[in-house]
């Protein structure tokens, strides 16, 4: 696996059902491996929670899609529409339907929204959705930060 870990970052690499995935998060963030089947884990910047009211985070959700007979584009679009419903007044910044992730067709997009907090700062959510080659699981990899922080962050895939 071609996986480079930048200085100052911690890798999280896992194989689930022979599908290898990995991501990195800053060393001062806290990673929690979750036991639920659908939520693999989350890395949170605890310090940002004190400063801005929520913790910048990277998280991975794994959803069993083995019984879903829809084509992948419909599955990906359905998950995006759920995001748009959850975050009121969300604005789709970009959507890349021709994205290839680890050799597999994927969807990546960014959504900005204004959370219901006193700070009134715009938050950005960047997600990649990819199904494993056997179409058993859907992996949703997310990065959430203030828009201002997101635009200053390391380049994302």
């Amino acid at each position: 696996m071609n996986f480079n870990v930048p200085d100052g970052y911690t890798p999280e690499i896992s194989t689930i059902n022979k599908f290898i995935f990995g991501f990195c998060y800053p060393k001062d963030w806290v990673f929690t491996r979750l036991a639920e089947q659908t939520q693999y884990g989350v890395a949170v910047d605890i310090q940002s929670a004190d400063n801005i009211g929520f913790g910048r985070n990277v998280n991975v959700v794994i959803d069993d899609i083995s019984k879903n007979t829809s084509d992948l584009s419909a599955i990906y679009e359905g998950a995006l529409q759920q995001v748009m419903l959850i975050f009121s007044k969300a604005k789709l910044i970009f959507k890349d339907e021709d994205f290839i992730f680890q050799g597999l067709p994927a969807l990546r997009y960014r959504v900005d929204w204004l959370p219901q907090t006193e700070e009134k700062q715009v938050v950005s959510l960047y997600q990649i959705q990819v199904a494993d080659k056997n179409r058993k699981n859907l992996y949703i990899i997310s990065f959430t930060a203030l828009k201002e922080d997101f635009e200053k962050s390391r380049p994302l895939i």
Side-chain angles (χ1 to χ4, degrees):
M1 183 168 148
N2 184 12
F3 191 74
N4 295 319
V5 180
D7 289 340
Y9 282 71
T10 300
E12 173 62 28
I13 301 171
S14 181
T15 58
I16 295 179
N17 297 327
K18 299 180 183 175
F19 183 73
I20 299 171
F21 70 92
F23 62 94
C24 297
Y25 55 91
K27 286 186 184 267
D28 59 343
W29 289 22
V30 175
F31 179 77
T32 304
R33 170 69 172 93
L34 303 170
E36 296 94 30
Q37 179 185 358
T38 58
Q39 179 102 20
Y40 174 78
V42 60
V44 178
D45 176 5
I46 300 299
Q47 293 173 349
S48 70
D50 293 337
N51 297 332
I52 61 176
F54 82 96
R56 293 180 295 178
N57 65 82
V58 174
N59 71 69
V60 177
V61 172
I62 304 168
D63 191 16
D64 181 349
I65 59 169
S66 60
K67 294 181 177 33
N68 190 328
T69 58
S70 300
D71 65 18
L72 282 180
S73 61
I75 292 171
Y76 294 161
E77 186 63 30
L80 170 56
Q81 291 310 312
Q82 287 180 350
V83 167
M84 299 301 286
L85 288 172
I86 290 169
F87 302 115
S88 63
K89 300 180 183 175
K91 179 180 177 186
L92 183 62
I93 304 302
F94 80 86
K95 178 168 79 169
D96 182 357
E97 297 171 294
D98 298 321
F99 184 57
I100 301 297
F101 183 76
Q102 298 293 316
L104 299 169
L107 173 67
R108 68 177 170 172
Y109 54 86
R110 177 177 153 199
V111 172
D112 286 354
W113 81 97
L114 188 63
Q116 302 297 324
T117 62
E118 292 178 21
E119 287 79 17
K120 302 295 182 199
Q121 298 180 69
V122 175
V123 173
S124 292
L125 167 69
Y126 174 87
Q127 283 192 333
I128 296 172
Q129 298 179 29
V130 61
D132 58 24
K133 66 181 178 182
N134 297 324
R135 227 187 102 129
K136 180 175 177 4
N137 293 303
L138 173 65
Y139 296 80
I140 302 175
I141 306 155
S142 306
F143 172 58
T144 308
L146 289 178
K147 179 181 176 184
E148 173 183 321
D149 292 339
F150 179 84
E151 291 174 348
K152 295 179 197 172
S153 70
R154 297 178 71 85
L156 302 173
I157 296 175

